[in-house]
Amino acid sequence: MPQCQQNLTYNISEQFLSIQGEGGPGMGKPAYFIRFQICNLRCDFCDTKYTWTEKSDPNWKTISHKDLLALIKNQPAKRIIFTGGEPLLTNFSPIIADLDETYIFEVETNATLIPSHYHGPAWRQKTETRVQWNVSPKYLSNSKQPLNENALKCGASRQNKLDVLLKFVVMHKNQKEFDQ
């Protein structure tokens, strides 16, 4: 492990082995979920409100890079799901870099942030076929925050690469923002 990664830590709400229930190529397959603590939204319908802040859940833990790698390697699934909270508030790219090509990753993001840690030719070459982005845009009426069109365009522009799944939550049939 590179020296710079020995001191990395991650704020984890929970980690667990389950079956991926959302669409895409991972649906129905065993997966190891890593739920990061902290979210930048406050959606009314959120089922993980305990991830919103460090005070939302007294049971979250700070886990070292080394220990998180060990947890991942000591469970049977080779599909790793980064979820939250909002995983793009955490730079998890070192985890992907330190695991071999047998691991596949999915990132469940709310489309409010552009994945700045995950760009560049070196990153794309190493991960092009290993990372799927599950993008679920949140709208003002749901999240109290305006839609980040640039983040959504970033996800949509990659859809022809077959590594982006767009998922829309529509709360009401008359939801005007969805039509825009």
Side-chain angles (χ1 to χ4, degrees):
M1 176 182 338
Q3 182 71 30
C4 63
Q5 293 180 16
Q6 289 181 4
N7 297 324
L8 282 176
T9 60
Y10 305 96
N11 293 338
I12 307 291
S13 175
E14 58 188 335
Q15 68 270 340
F16 54 92
L17 187 63
S18 189
I19 302 294
Q20 173 59 305
E22 300 204 6
M27 187 170 168
K29 295 182 180 173
Y32 189 62
F33 288 77
I34 298 170
R35 186 178 308 283
F36 291 104
Q37 191 71 16
I38 308 300
C39 188
N40 57 328
L41 298 182
R42 302 295 179 264
C43 300
D44 294 334
F45 58 83
C46 181
D47 61 352
T48 57
K49 292 179 181 179
Y50 55 91
T51 66
W52 285 1
T53 70
E54 292 176 348
K55 294 178 182 178
S56 302
D57 179 9
N59 298 316
W60 69 272
K61 296 176 178 72
T62 298
I63 300 177
S64 73
H65 181 77
K66 179 181 172 184
D67 289 346
L68 186 54
L69 285 176
L71 285 169
I72 292 169
K73 290 177 181 179
N74 288 324
Q75 54 77 39
K78 294 291 187 175
R79 181 171 297 277
I80 310 302
I81 313 293
F82 295 127
T83 189
E86 172 50 58
L88 289 179
L89 292 170
T90 300
N91 181 4
F92 53 79
S93 62
I95 299 169
I96 295 172
D98 284 348
L99 291 167
D100 66 43
E101 284 74 27
T102 62
Y103 288 92
I104 303 293
F105 302 88
E106 294 184 33
V107 181
E108 297 181 343
T109 177
N110 63 29
T112 59
L113 303 170
I114 295 174
S116 59
H117 298 294
Y118 316 98
H119 287 289
W123 167 260
R124 280 194 298 274
Q125 184 177 8
K126 184 170 176 69
T127 65
E128 190 74 35
T129 59
R130 296 177 60 208
V131 178
Q132 175 181 313
W133 300 89
N134 299 334
V135 181
S136 180
K138 304 300 188 273
Y139 296 97
L140 181 61
S141 61
N142 299 334
S143 68
K144 319 293 188 276
Q145 187 167 340
L147 180 67
N148 183 338
E149 290 184 28
N150 289 330
L152 184 55
K153 287 176 186 174
C154 180
S157 70
R158 296 203 44 82
Q159 206 163 10
N160 63 349
K161 304 279 188 197
L162 301 176
D163 62 355
V164 173
L165 173 74
L166 293 173
K167 177 181 105 176
F168 294 90
V169 176
V170 180
M171 297 297 292
H172 307 285
K173 65 181 180 179
N174 294 329
Q175 190 169 333
K176 292 178 184 177
E177 294 165 273
F178 184 77
D179 294 333
Q180 295 174 354

